[in-house]
């Protein structure tokens, strides 16, 4: 009853009292705050138990209300009173003493509200930026203080304000009077020396963020990293120079990375390292851990999360800051820690260090850091390699030597590293490993190509000079193709059910552009059943020795005005129809050039799909017969890789830069090791074959004309003594055909191995699998598994060749 009466009396007094202006009310609240500190001498109770927070809250509300009702950009009476009476400096003094307890947190919250809610520029006022500077210096001085959360929130608010108006960053760079006329500092980035600013300067906001970066509270640490990212991304070059010269920014971040790496357990499995998924900002331990836990996983996650933060910061930072930090990581982490670990003689430790490097390379995405990783692994060499002359870069030479190491674990770990390298959009990686040796085109013979065949990577294929094994009857399920001996060229045996459609049905082309009436062939064999040579086929199809060969499948017209190609499935359940349709070109010579390209890509796909003898094909006995999934994967991967490499402006046709006509061709140590490993697939383990073919297919996706013709053009005339990928596959196919005749029950054993690799299920046996449970790796099983991997690899090459041809067709 008494409380209700008191409230009514209070409202009556307010109603009868005269109206007070906003400024007078603002002054009244501030005077009440001052009066409290005058009256109270012993400040033992918390500030939350005093009337001070209420008065300060009303003062901020009045400032916001005044700005909303006044003219934009013009300070009102309350703001003028705040600046004139130096209220913010008084509040800083109270926060410095933290009296009463909690006053520091209260003042920080008041500054946060003032800077975030008041839209007019406040920092240019001396009575604002001076107390703000002092508060910034105070942040992070005491470790694990109760005010850490408010300190980092205050710094983040300042970073956001500075991000909106970058020139305001100069208020946080202290420039004392220089004692010497020349006290500058320089930073080396690659080959450039950056002259920075005087040493006596201080970047106070960065210093405070670096202190809070090491907070035990993970949330405070993450927010401090966000503030560093905001400051480093400012476009002001002056701020970038001060950041590098007057702070320990690069050294602190790199030291943290090195300390986290040295804290990793020594006994880890490469598969565990590869399976860890870590992102910066999400490195918070949860009560429910995932199932794939192992000792030391938290350390691995912390290390990878910090590397991810450095990579993201480099990606958004100023150019000077990005180069300096990437160079610091190169020198203090890669060279100082990783290189000695990789080059050591202990196989176990070398495998572990290589796995660490592969995982780091897989994580990074910023161009500057990718470049430093590439220089660290491959060096700076750009001249063509010379056979027998080792690379001057020791790490590159050692890694390439380990590609055929006697230890399979070392071999697989090294090839995984090169696969990660090829997954990165960096011109130096491709040029150092492959292109610097292929630009001479010394692998090609002097046979001249038609003008229409060299306008693009898909137009430069040349018909085989050796006879092709062509069926004497149409390729159907009832009459499969038979071949008694391996021909000198690619054996075109009856194709199996693995030939599914290689072209999406959404693309169409008038069949007249596929084959003209005079080019139609229904029987491509002689009357006595003997196979005719490719030259005879060319003369028979058009009467000219320069015309393209006829595609060795039966062409049939359909009612839907498309072209269907029927393949023999080697006696399987039925024919698999391959529908192909392309857009019609609006060129005058579309009927000639378009037909050459279509027949060319068809024969390329057919060669890759028919390279194995039919007795060595096992996919048509399972659900994994087609290569549709390879087409989808290749289309996606090639689209991504084309977007990556588009900025390099690579030529659309093969480049020939031969230094000397008598200069012997050498494919380079990387391609030499790759082709050697592919040629010995039948003697290698399943895991090694998987990894090597993954690297080869990744390299085949690179959209460069020279790489395309070296890896995916089986019709390219090769100089005597040289080799390319199709010739290696041809030799391997001949070896497989010889083993088919020697090993008893070869087909039955091959199917048994395929079933084991598939896990006794109908799941597709894709080459992305790296380990099969219950699979024995004895000599016989390894040989048969090598045949299966070879078959799947040829499917993937056919899909890649077709996808690259289709993408180039759409670009015209």
């Amino acid at each position: 009853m008494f409380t209700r009466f008191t409230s009514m009396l209070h409202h009556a007094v307010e109603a009868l009292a005269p109206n007070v202006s906003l400024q007078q009310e603002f002054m009244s609240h501030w005077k009440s705050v001052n009066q409290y500190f005058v009256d109270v001498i012993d400040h033992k109770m918390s500030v939350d138990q005093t009337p001070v927070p209420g008065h300060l809250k009303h003062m901020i509300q009045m400032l916001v209300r005044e700005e909303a009702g006044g003219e934009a950009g013009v300070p009102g009476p309350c703001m003028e009173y705040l600046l004139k009476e130096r209220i913010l400096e008084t509040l800083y003094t109270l926060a410095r003493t933290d009296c009463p307890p909690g006053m520091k947190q209260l003042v920080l919250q008041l500054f946060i509200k003032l800077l975030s809610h008041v839209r007019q520029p406040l920092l240019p006022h001396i009575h604002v930026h001076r107390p703000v500077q002092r508060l910034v210096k105070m942040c992070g001085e005491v470790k694990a203080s109760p005010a850490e959360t408010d300190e980092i929130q205050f710094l983040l608010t300042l970073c956001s304000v500075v991000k909106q108006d970058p020139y305001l960053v100069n208020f946080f760079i202290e420039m004392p009077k220089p004692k010497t006329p020349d006290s500058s500092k320089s930073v080396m980035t690659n080959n450039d020396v950056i002259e920075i600013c005087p040493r006596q300067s201080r970047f106070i906001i960065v210093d405070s963020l670096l202190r809070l970066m090491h907070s035990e509270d993970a949330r405070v640490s993450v927010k401090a990293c966000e503030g560093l990212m905001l400051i480093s991304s400012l476009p002001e070059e002056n701020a970038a120079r001060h950041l590098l010269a007057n702070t320990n920014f690069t050294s602190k971040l790199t030291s943290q990375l090195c300390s986290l790496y040295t804290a990793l357990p020594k006994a880890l499995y490469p598969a565990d390292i590869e399976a860890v998924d870590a992102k910066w900002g999400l490195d918070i331990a949860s009560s429910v851990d995932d199932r794939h836990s192992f000792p030391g996983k938290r350390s691995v996650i912390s290390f990878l999360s910090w590397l991810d933060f450095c990579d993201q910061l480099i990606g958004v930072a100023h150019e000077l800051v990005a180069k300096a930090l990437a160079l610091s990581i190169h020198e203090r982490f890669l060279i100082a820690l990783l290189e000695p670990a990789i080059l050591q003689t202990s196989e176990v430790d070398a495998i572990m260090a290589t796995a660490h490097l592969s995982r780091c390379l897989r994580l990074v995405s910023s161009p500057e850091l990718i470049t430093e990783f590439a220089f660290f692994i491959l060096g700076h060499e750009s001249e063509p390699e010379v056979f027998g002359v080792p690379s001057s870069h020791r790490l590159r030479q050692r890694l390439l030597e380990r590609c055929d190491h006697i230890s399979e674990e070392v071999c697989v770990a090294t090839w995984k590293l090169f696969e990660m390298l090829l997954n990165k959009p960096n011109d130096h990686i491709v040029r150092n490993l492959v292109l610097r040796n292929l630009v001479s085109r010394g692998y090609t013979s002097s046979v001249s190509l038609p003008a229409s065949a060299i306008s693009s990577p898909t137009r430069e294929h040349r018909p085989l000079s050796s006879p092709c094994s062509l069926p004497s009857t149409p390729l159907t399920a009832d009459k499969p193709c038979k071949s008694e001996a391996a021909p000198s060229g690619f054996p075109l045996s009856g194709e199996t059910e693995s030939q599914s459609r290689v072209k999406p049905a959404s693309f169409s082309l008038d069949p007249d552009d596929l084959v003209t009436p005079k080019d139609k062939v229904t029987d491509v064999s002689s009357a006595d059943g003997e196979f005719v040579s490719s030259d005879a086929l060319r003369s028979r199809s058009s009467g000219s020795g320069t015309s393209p060969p006829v595609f060795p499948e039966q062409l049939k017209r359909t009612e839907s005005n498309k072209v269907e190609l029927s393949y023999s499935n080697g006696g399987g359940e039925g024919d698999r129809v391959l529908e192909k349709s392309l857009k019609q070109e609006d060129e005058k010579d579309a009927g000639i050039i378009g037909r050459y390209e279509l027949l060319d890509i068809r024969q390329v796909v057919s060669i890759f799909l028919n390279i194995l003898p039919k007795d060595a094909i096992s996919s048509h006995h399972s659900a994994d017969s087609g290569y549709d999934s390879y087409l989808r994967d290749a289309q996606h991967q090639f689209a991504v890789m084309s977007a990556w490499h588009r900025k390099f402006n690579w030529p659309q046709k093969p480049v020939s830069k031969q230094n000397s006509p008598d200069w012997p061709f050498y494919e380079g140590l990387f391609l030499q090791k790759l082709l050697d490993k592919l040629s010995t697939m039948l003697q290698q383990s399943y895991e090694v074959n998987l990894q090597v073919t993954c690297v080869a297919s990744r390299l085949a996706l690179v959209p460069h004309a020279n790489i395309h013709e070296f890896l995916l053009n089986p019709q390219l005339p090769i100089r005597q003594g040289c080799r390319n990928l199709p010739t290696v596959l041809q030799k391997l196919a001949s070896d497989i055909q010889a083993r088919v005749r020697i090993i008893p029950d070869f087909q039955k054993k091959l199917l048994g191995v395929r079933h084991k690799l598939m896990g006794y299920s109908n799941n597709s046996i894709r080459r992305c699998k790296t380990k099969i449970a219950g699979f024995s790796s004895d000599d016989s099983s390894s040989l048969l598994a090598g045949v299966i991997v070879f078959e799947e690899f040829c499917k993937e090459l056919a899909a890649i060749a077709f996808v690259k041809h289709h993408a180039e067709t759409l670009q015209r």
Side-chain angles (χ1 to χ4, degrees):
M1 186 67 182
F2 179 76
T3 304
R4 186 178 302 174
F5 176 76
T6 304
S7 177
M8 293 174 60
L9 183 62
H10 179 71
H11 286 297
V13 171
E14 287 184 350
L16 296 175
N19 293 330
V20 180
S21 65
L22 195 63
Q23 180 183 6
Q24 291 175 341
E25 188 177 357
F26 185 85
M27 294 169 58
S28 175
H29 282 291
W30 177 242
K31 289 178 181 179
S32 299
V33 173
N34 287 331
Q35 190 63 36
Y36 169 79
F37 286 98
V38 171
D39 297 340
V40 180
I41 299 176
D42 190 8
H43 303 282
K44 292 183 178 180
M45 59 177 159
S46 174
V47 71
D48 294 333
Q49 300 176 359
T50 67
V52 174
H55 292 299
L56 295 179
K57 178 181 178 181
H58 283 90
M59 291 173 65
I60 294 297
Q61 292 175 351
M62 291 175 188
L63 289 173
V64 175
R65 197 190 324 161
E66 180 185 65
E67 185 185 39
E71 185 178 353
V74 178
C78 296
M79 182 61 69
E80 290 180 352
Y81 180 80
L82 177 81
L83 299 176
K84 181 181 179 181
E85 296 297 324
R86 301 182 180 182
I87 293 178
L88 297 181
E89 295 185 14
T90 304
L91 290 175
Y92 160 73
T93 305
L94 296 174
R96 186 68 181 176
T97 60
D98 198 21
C99 185
M103 191 64 191
K104 179 180 178 181
Q105 296 163 272
L106 180 63
V107 172
L108 286 171
Q109 294 171 6
L110 184 140
F111 272 78
I112 292 172
K113 294 177 181 178
L114 182 65
L115 293 172
S116 58
H117 290 85
V118 177
R119 301 304 178 188
Q120 57 181 300
L122 296 178
L123 283 177
H125 296 282
I126 187 172
H127 298 306
V128 176
H129 71 253
R130 184 179 296 172
V132 168
Q133 288 175 347
R134 293 172 179 174
L135 275 177
V136 168
K137 295 179 185 178
M138 189 175 59
C139 294
E141 286 183 343
V142 180
K143 293 185 177 180
S145 70
E148 264 192 349
T149 304
D150 299 297
E151 288 175 354
I152 191 59
Q153 193 62 40
F154 168 67
L155 293 177
L156 276 181
T157 303
L158 282 178
C159 292
S160 301
V161 173
V162 171
K163 183 68 176 178
Q164 295 176 1
D165 297 314
Y167 76 93
L168 296 176
V169 73
N170 296 304
F171 290 112
F172 303 99
I173 301 175
E174 288 188 347
M175 299 284 293
K177 296 180 180 179
K179 297 181 180 180
T180 58
D182 185 13
S183 57
S184 61
K185 181 181 177 181
S186 62
V187 171
M188 174 74 74
T189 61
N190 291 340
N191 297 326
D192 302 330
V193 179
I194 303 175
E195 291 295 336
I196 317 187
C197 27
R199 296 176 184 268
Q200 294 83 0
S201 303
R202 290 184 60 193
F203 207 153
I204 57 175
I205 192 171
V206 175
D207 292 337
S208 298
L209 288 170
L210 289 174
R211 289 194 295 266
L212 291 173
M213 184 184 72
H214 299 286
S215 173
E216 295 296 330
D217 190 342
R219 292 169 296 183
V220 173
S221 178
V222 168
K223 289 183 178 180
C225 294
E226 291 176 358
L228 290 173
M229 191 175 295
L230 287 173
I231 294 298
S232 63
S233 64
L234 294 176
E236 293 286 326
E237 183 175 339
N238 182 51
R241 294 181 181 275
H242 279 282
L243 179 66
L244 298 177
N246 305 315
T247 68
N248 296 325
F249 176 76
T250 56
S251 61
K252 288 267 188 181
L253 268 60
T254 310
S255 298
Q256 179 74 0
L257 182 67
C258 295
S259 62
L260 290 173
Y261 177 75
T262 54
L264 294 177
K266 301 300 181 182
L268 288 175
Y269 292 101
D272 292 336
I273 299 174
E274 187 178 357
V276 170
D277 187 16
K279 288 292 183 181
W280 169 71
L282 301 177
D283 183 22
I284 300 176
S286 59
S287 57
V288 181
D289 200 0
D290 56 6
R291 300 177 181 176
H292 304 286
S293 60
F294 55 89
K297 182 173 182 178
R298 292 302 311 165
S299 300
V300 177
I301 292 178
S302 299
F303 165 70
L304 293 177
S305 298
W306 190 257
L307 178 62
D308 186 50
F309 163 67
C310 295
D311 177 65
Q312 291 188 34
L313 189 145
I314 291 174
V316 301
H318 190 277
E319 182 182 1
L320 297 179
V321 179
K323 290 182 178 179
L325 181 56
L327 183 63
S328 178
I329 293 175
H330 184 175
E331 294 174 349
R332 301 182 58 183
F333 170 61
L334 296 178
I335 294 180
L337 295 180
L338 266 182
E339 185 174 16
I342 296 174
L343 295 177
Q344 61 184 316
T345 56
S346 173
E347 289 186 5
V348 176
D349 296 336
I351 292 172
M352 188 60 56
T354 306
H356 287 152
L357 180 58
S358 300
R359 188 62 184 88
C360 293
L361 187 61
R362 171 184 157 193
L363 186 142
V364 299
S365 59
S366 59
E368 292 82 3
L369 196 53
I370 291 176
T371 300
E372 294 301 330
F373 268 84
F375 288 155
F376 165 69
I377 299 173
L378 304 176
H380 294 76
E381 297 175 347
S382 58
E383 295 298 323
E385 298 179 70
V386 180
F387 179 76
V389 178
S391 172
S392 60
H393 192 70
R394 184 175 57 167
L395 182 59
R396 180 185 189 273
Q397 184 70 23
R398 182 69 62 85
L399 289 173
L400 288 175
E401 290 173 356
R402 290 178 179 175
C403 286
D404 56 355
H405 198 273
I406 189 173
S407 171
E408 289 186 358
E409 291 79 6
V410 175
C411 181
V412 171
T414 307
W415 281 113
K416 282 184 179 180
L417 175 60
F418 284 107
E419 182 187 4
M420 291 298 109
L421 270 177
L422 293 175
N423 279 336
K424 297 302 173 181
N426 187 275
D427 181 63
H428 177 71
I429 294 175
V430 181
R431 291 193 178 277
N432 183 278
L433 289 176
V434 180
L435 281 182
R436 59 171 170 159
N437 306 301
L438 297 185
V439 290
S440 64
R441 295 194 74 202
Y443 49 85
T444 60
S445 66
S446 58
V447 178
S448 60
L449 299 178
S452 61
I454 61 175
S455 59
S456 68
T458 57
R459 295 186 183 185
E460 64 193 52
H461 304 316
R462 183 75 177 168
L464 289 171
S465 57
S466 57
C468 294
S469 177
L470 300 177
S472 58
T473 58
L475 297 177
T476 61
D478 298 329
K479 300 179 180 180
C481 173
K482 296 182 179 180
S483 178
E484 295 295 332
S488 58
F490 278 91
L492 297 179
S493 61
E495 296 193 12
T496 70
E497 194 178 353
S498 63
Q499 283 78 23
S500 61
R501 55 185 184 83
V502 298
K503 192 72 173 178
S506 57
F507 305 101
S508 59
L509 174 65
D510 191 346
D512 292 336
D513 291 331
L514 276 166
V515 60
T516 57
K518 66 178 181 180
D519 291 327
K520 294 181 181 178
V521 177
T522 58
D523 191 354
V524 292
S525 62
S526 59
D528 55 359
E530 297 180 354
F531 299 111
V532 295
S533 65
S534 56
D535 294 333
L537 285 174
R538 290 195 297 270
S539 61
R540 182 178 298 182
S541 62
S542 60
S544 173
T546 60
S547 299
V550 176
F551 191 61
E553 280 84 6
Q554 182 184 10
L555 298 180
K556 300 189 299 182
R557 295 284 180 172
T558 64
E559 296 180 358
S560 59
N561 204 25
K562 293 183 179 179
V563 175
E564 293 183 354
L565 293 88
S566 298
Y567 294 97
S568 170
N569 61 1
E573 295 180 357
D575 292 344
R576 183 65 71 98
V577 178
L578 170 66
E579 291 187 358
K580 297 192 62 178
S581 51
L582 299 172
K583 290 185 177 180
Q584 184 176 9
E585 300 182 0
D586 292 329
E587 300 174 355
K588 294 182 179 179
D589 55 348
I592 299 176
I593 298 179
R595 183 175 69 252
Y596 180 88
E597 293 177 348
L598 278 177
L599 292 174
D600 187 56
I601 190 58
R602 285 182 171 186
Q603 190 169 18
V604 168
V605 171
S606 176
I607 287 174
F608 281 122
L609 295 179
N610 287 282
I611 187 171
L612 269 177
K614 68 181 184 65
D615 293 335
I617 296 176
S618 58
S619 60
H620 58 279
H621 290 279
S622 64
D624 189 30
S625 58
Y627 66 112
D628 306 54
S629 55
Y630 286 116
L631 278 173
R632 291 189 291 268
D633 292 346
Q635 184 177 10
H636 171 71
Q637 295 171 4
F638 183 70
V640 173
M641 189 161 286
S642 297
W644 285 351
H645 296 84
R646 190 173 293 118
K647 59 183 178 181
F648 301 143
N649 295 322
W650 283 341
Q652 296 297 319
K653 60 182 180 179
V655 179
S656 180
K657 297 180 180 179
Q658 195 163 359
N659 299 329
S660 173
D662 298 330
W663 187 266
F665 172 72
Y666 176 52
E667 64 267 25
L669 189 56
F670 175 74
L671 281 178
Q672 176 188 348
K673 297 292 184 180
L674 181 62
L675 296 179
D676 288 345
K677 297 299 287 184
L678 290 173
S679 62
T680 57
M681 288 180 63
L682 302 183
Q683 292 83 39
Q684 295 168 171
S685 67
Y686 179 70
E687 289 77 13
V688 174
N689 286 335
L690 280 178
Q691 192 56 53
V692 172
T693 51
C694 282
V695 174
S697 61
R698 176 61 58 178
L699 184 61
L701 284 167
V702 176
H704 193 283
N706 291 64
I707 296 177
H708 177 90
E709 73 168 0
F710 188 82
L711 298 179
L712 296 176
N713 190 351
Q715 299 173 317
L716 187 71
I718 299 298
R719 177 181 295 182
Q720 185 176 3
C722 299
R723 61 176 179 172
N724 63 351
L725 180 58
T727 58
V728 170
L729 298 181
Q730 174 188 3
K731 183 177 180 181
L732 188 59
S734 301
D735 190 12
I736 292 174
Q737 188 170 11
R739 291 173 183 265
V740 169
R741 301 172 181 174
I742 298 174
I743 300 178
D745 298 329
F746 183 89
Q747 184 75 17
K748 183 178 179 180
K749 293 180 180 179
L750 187 66
L751 292 176
V753 172
R754 175 173 280 271
H755 290 158
K756 288 184 179 181
L757 294 177
M758 295 171 62
Y760 297 97
S761 65
N762 291 327
N763 296 330
S764 174
I765 171 175
R766 299 298 308 283
R767 294 190 309 102
C768 58
K769 293 184 179 180
T770 57
K771 191 173 183 180
I772 305 297
F775 173 67
S776 61
S777 57
D778 52 28
D779 295 338
S780 177
S781 298
S782 296
L783 186 149
L784 297 174
V787 174
I788 296 173
V789 174
F790 179 77
E791 178 184 354
E792 300 298 319
F793 179 51
C794 292
K795 291 181 187 178
E796 188 169 13
L797 291 179
I800 293 172
F802 179 80
V803 166
K804 295 176 77 172
H805 167 83
H806 173 61
E808 193 248 345
T809 303
L810 293 181
Q811 290 177 1
R812 292 195 303 271

